[in-house]
Amino acid sequence: MRKFLLLALLATTAVAHAAEPAAETPILLRPARVFDGTTLHTGWRVLVKGDRIVAAGSDVSASGAREMELPDTTLVPGLIEGHSHLFLHPYNETSWDDQVLHESIALRTARAVTAARATLMAGFTTVRDLGTEGAGYADVGLKEAIDQGIVPGPRMLVATRAIVASGAYGPKGFEPGVEVPQGAEEATGEDIVRAVRRQIAAGADIVKLYADYRWRPGEDRRPTLSEAELRAATAAAHDAGRTVAAHSTTEEGMRRSIAAGVDTIEHGYGGTKEIFRAMKEHGIALCPTLAAGDAVARYQGWNGREPAPAAVELGRASFKAARAAGVTIIAGGDVGVFAHGENVRELELMLDAGMPAREVLMAVTSVNARVFHIDDRVGAIRAGLIADLVAVRGDPSTDIYALRQIRMVMKGGKVVRE
Ligand SMILES: [Zn+2]
């Protein structure tokens, strides 16, 4: 009996050893500056062991660590894209309708794999991907492939299909009654709770709701989901520990979203002083997506010169009004409308619209992490967090354009771009 126990114990030990990864050599990063998510420090070093940051500060040293010299650079937390669609590609290549109607899920997934890689190489180690826009639950599979190391890409928070009011979303213009591929899951009344739960069961980390839209092409945007539907969907999502992102560009859609208690409002172009005051009061963050409006205006012929088209001006004005009201601003560009890997574009436009570089840098790191409830893992440089780190030449806390001068990207302690 004792002999058996001993053998069993040995067997267990052997298995435990086999499962352990080989002891990794710690890495001591020596940049010129460290932006920890809120503050810039000079003379700091960062020690990484395995997939974690184990120390950060001016007195950090480690014998036996591999030293990585990063002269002239600033080390920042891995950037967090707040609003992407990895399953869409720029509308000047293929219209949204044609992507949804004519591109197979296999084709769209293949593109999404390259989009994920481009995003990671641009220093974005996490994305909140707000809907596959007709590609079903393929985002869940892509996320798994990235997590399993099959393809390179950022950590993904996924929304799967997103939810729209029945009949409110495209593509449009077909013989009524003919079933055509849809850009999101349609729901009405009580049915919306079923849709929320179905998507969460299938892998949704976030629930995305369209609070308003154009009912038909060429029309003004109008509310789509009722306040009761938004409330029911939000409550079901919150019960399951998921956050809710509401697409809304009208005053009424935003008012209903705020009343429903969503976590973030996407776009928010129609926000008034009162609406932004209410967002501030309820702790709801705004994702301004300035880069999407900018890109669409250029596709429609704008050469980028001032004065900008009315739609671009509206985006800037609502962004300024939200900031003036003290609304939490997260950083998300609606990437997919424009090219993946160009995520920094949104940050440049936030700067142009009056937000200081340091606040923009906070938005895309620590603020996004807090609003997305992932700040216990990413979004800052401090001991215990996952080692998602980006080194850029120059100082992005005073010059946001420095984020385009990437010297090194590390995800989970592994250098993925050098
Ligand atoms: Zn979007």
Side-chain angles (χ1 to χ4, degrees):
M1 188 63 180
R2 269 183 79 177
K3 194 177 170 190
F4 172 77
L5 271 179
L6 187 66
L7 280 174
L9 198 66
L10 282 172
T12 316
T13 317
V15 168
H17 275 276
E20 255 172 45
E24 284 167 83
T25 311
I27 303 171
L28 186 66
L29 300 142
R30 302 173 67 109
R33 294 163 292 275
V34 171
F35 176 79
D36 65 4
T38 38
T39 310
L40 188 79
H41 308 273
T42 49
W44 267 33
R45 289 162 209 160
V46 177
L47 184 65
V48 170
K49 192 169 184 209
D51 69 344
R52 298 279 157 171
I53 298 164
V54 291
S58 51
D59 54 353
V60 175
S61 64
S63 57
R66 181 164 73 85
E67 300 214 358
M68 190 186 282
E69 295 289 343
L70 295 161
D72 308 323
T73 68
T74 303
L75 195 69
V76 303
L79 307 177
I80 301 170
E81 172 56 56
H83 188 142
S84 69
H85 297 280
L86 289 174
F87 286 81
L88 287 175
H89 61 105
Y91 298 169
N92 62 337
E93 296 172 10
T94 309
S95 72
W96 181 90
D97 269 31
D98 282 345
Q99 293 186 44
V100 174
L101 289 168
H102 299 299
E103 293 186 349
S104 67
I105 290 184
L107 173 62
R108 297 187 66 186
T109 304
R111 275 195 207 280
V113 168
T114 66
R117 185 179 181 282
T119 303
L120 179 62
M121 294 305 138
F124 286 76
T125 51
T126 302
V127 297
R128 185 177 68 142
D129 204 64
L130 290 184
T132 60
E133 304 284 327
Y137 295 97
D139 52 353
V140 179
L142 176 61
K143 174 185 169 170
E144 284 173 355
I146 291 169
D147 288 348
Q148 292 176 29
I150 299 167
V151 296
R155 301 175 196 287
M156 289 178 72
L157 298 169
V158 299
T160 72
R161 299 170 66 191
I163 297 167
V164 293
S166 300
Y169 205 56
K172 292 288 173 81
F174 299 88
E175 174 62 28
V178 172
E179 288 228 358
V180 295
Q182 288 294 303
E185 181 169 6
E186 298 188 312
T188 290
E190 270 299 295
D191 206 31
I192 200 164
V193 172
R194 208 167 302 145
V196 167
R197 291 176 179 155
R198 181 162 46 228
Q199 295 190 359
I200 290 170
D205 304 306
I206 310 146
V207 171
K208 164 94 176 276
L209 306 170
Y210 283 80
D212 47 39
Y213 216 74
R214 290 178 299 259
W215 280 89
R216 284 209 304 253
E219 287 187 2
D220 283 344
R221 291 164 177 86
R222 309 272 307 171
T224 47
L225 294 168
S226 68
E227 190 174 316
E229 288 167 330
L230 288 166
R231 277 182 193 277
T234 302
H238 285 172
D239 280 350
R242 266 65 176 179
T243 55
V244 176
H247 164 112
S248 185
T249 62
T250 68
E251 188 179 347
E252 177 60 13
M254 291 176 77
R255 190 197 64 72
R256 292 181 189 182
S257 299
I258 296 164
V262 305
D263 299 277
T264 66
I265 289 180
E266 310 302 307
H267 318 299
Y269 307 138
T272 59
K273 228 180 196 175
E274 292 67 38
I275 288 288
F276 288 129
R277 203 174 297 146
M279 281 179 73
K280 160 81 177 163
E281 202 174 297
H282 290 83
I284 297 170
L286 175 72
C287 187
T289 67
L290 299 172
D294 182 272
V296 169
R298 284 167 199 268
Y299 300 157
Q300 291 170 348
W302 179 41
N303 60 10
R305 263 188 244 134
E306 303 296 329
V312 172
E313 282 297 347
L314 186 65
R316 292 173 182 167
S318 59
F319 175 73
K320 286 176 187 167
R323 287 193 64 229
V327 174
T328 298
I329 306 286
I330 56 174
D334 214 350
V335 200
V337 173
F338 59 100
H340 297 284
E342 281 292 311
N343 310 60
V344 167
R345 183 82 186 123
E346 176 71 13
L347 312 180
E348 294 166 351
L349 292 174
M350 288 163 82
L351 182 85
D352 288 351
M355 195 176 199
R358 199 179 72 89
E359 287 181 39
V360 175
L361 198 54
M362 282 178 64
V364 75
T365 55
S366 56
V367 176
N368 272 5
R370 176 167 49 81
V371 172
F372 305 157
H373 301 184
I374 51 175
D375 53 337
D376 58 336
R377 281 159 282 161
V378 297
I381 298 180
R382 68 163 188 272
L385 295 201
I386 293 173
D388 286 357
L389 302 164
V390 180
V392 299
R393 226 178 102 189
D395 176 9
S397 74
T398 55
D399 172 22
I400 212 73
Y401 291 85
L403 292 176
R404 289 196 183 262
Q405 306 291 321
I406 291 185
R407 289 292 170 269
M408 191 271 305
V409 179
M410 177 182 276
K411 183 190 165 202
K414 293 198 169 61
V415 175
V416 294
R417 176 178 170 181
E418 204 163 10

